[in-house]
Amino acid sequence: MPIRIMLVAPEKLTRHGLEAVLTSADGLKVVTEAASLKEALPRAQATRPSVIVIELLAQDDLRTLSSLQEALPGCALLTIIAADASPQAHANLLAGGVRASLSKDIDPGRLCDAVRQLANGDPVVDPALATSLHRLAGRRSMLTPRQRQILSLAAEGRSNLAIAEELVLSVRTVERHMSSILNRLGAGNRMQAVVRAKQARWI
């Protein structure tokens, strides 16, 4: 079954260009498109794409982006922003729940690979930004040291009981930490939380 994709970009030519790139790759299918984030929500709810590729402009309201993520927790958001955007801009998007933030000068083949990775639940980080994002994440992780420790163990496939035994905590304490982690990262489940934390280099 092909990976279902939605495109969001203000200019029709940009949307058509992205569609041409993505549909030329095996296993990718563009199911709908929108000219704005506001227009995207009802169309995404109707078509249920696996990945939404968004050309994000400086004037876009990031609160609308957050609303889109909250309404479609099972859908991965991939933003494409200006080539001269700072690493901080990418880090802010990742911290806000976007699963991947890439530069507009990305290679078309890399974009297709990124969509596949997101659909498979794998983290995506632009290699050109990896070092900068790691440095920023080290300074401003959204998770406490204990939460990072718990999520690192969860990333290994440990159950709450196994994590509790490893850290000498009660299962209830681990559950409370995990609930807080999901809330902080805007994740629907622990797998999604692990992916987002790895993207931001917090674990």
Side-chain angles (χ1 to χ4, degrees):
M1 182 178 296
I3 296 169
R4 298 167 60 83
I5 304 165
M6 177 180 190
L7 301 177
V8 182
E11 297 178 355
K12 184 178 293 187
L13 187 60
T14 300
R15 297 196 300 274
H16 286 184
L18 287 170
E19 182 174 9
V21 167
L22 293 168
T23 55
S24 67
D26 292 337
L28 304 183
K29 180 181 181 180
V30 175
V31 294
T32 189
E33 62 181 51
S36 67
L37 290 171
K38 185 176 181 180
E39 184 181 295
L41 181 55
R43 296 192 181 187
Q45 290 174 321
T47 56
R48 293 292 169 178
S50 299
V51 179
I52 302 180
V53 177
I54 304 165
E55 182 194 27
L56 198 65
L57 304 181
Q59 66 268 26
D60 283 329
D61 187 345
L62 297 187
R63 288 174 299 181
T64 307
L65 191 65
S66 297
S67 298
L68 187 62
Q69 178 69 74
E70 291 171 5
L72 301 161
C75 180
L77 303 188
L78 185 161
T79 54
I80 301 174
I81 64 176
D84 60 355
S86 68
Q88 183 68 65
H90 289 276
N92 289 344
L93 289 168
L94 293 171
V98 167
R99 291 275 300 280
S101 182
L102 304 176
S103 169
K104 284 185 180 180
D105 63 0
I106 189 171
D107 180 81
R110 175 65 182 132
L111 175 61
C112 296
D113 289 341
V115 169
R116 291 193 185 95
Q117 287 175 261
L118 290 179
N120 289 332
D122 297 326
V124 174
V125 177
D126 189 333
L129 296 167
T131 300
S132 296
L133 288 176
H134 180 70
R135 185 170 60 250
L136 287 168
R139 291 205 304 263
R140 56 189 297 270
S141 174
M142 294 173 66
L143 305 177
T144 67
R146 175 63 87 186
Q147 289 171 340
R148 293 171 70 176
Q149 192 176 27
I150 288 173
L151 196 57
S152 293
L153 292 172
E156 297 174 3
R158 308 276 193 99
S159 66
N160 285 347
L161 176 59
I163 293 171
E165 291 175 347
E166 173 75 18
L167 301 179
V168 195
L169 299 171
S170 70
V171 173
R172 186 172 180 80
T173 296
V174 172
E175 290 174 345
R176 284 200 299 268
H177 277 300
M178 191 61 69
S179 177
S180 179
I181 289 167
L182 297 183
N183 287 335
R184 289 190 180 200
L185 299 184
N189 53 56
R190 65 167 59 195
M191 180 178 294
Q192 192 175 59
V194 166
V195 169
R196 291 182 180 178
K198 283 185 174 181
Q199 282 179 318
R201 296 295 193 268
W202 294 332
I203 62 171

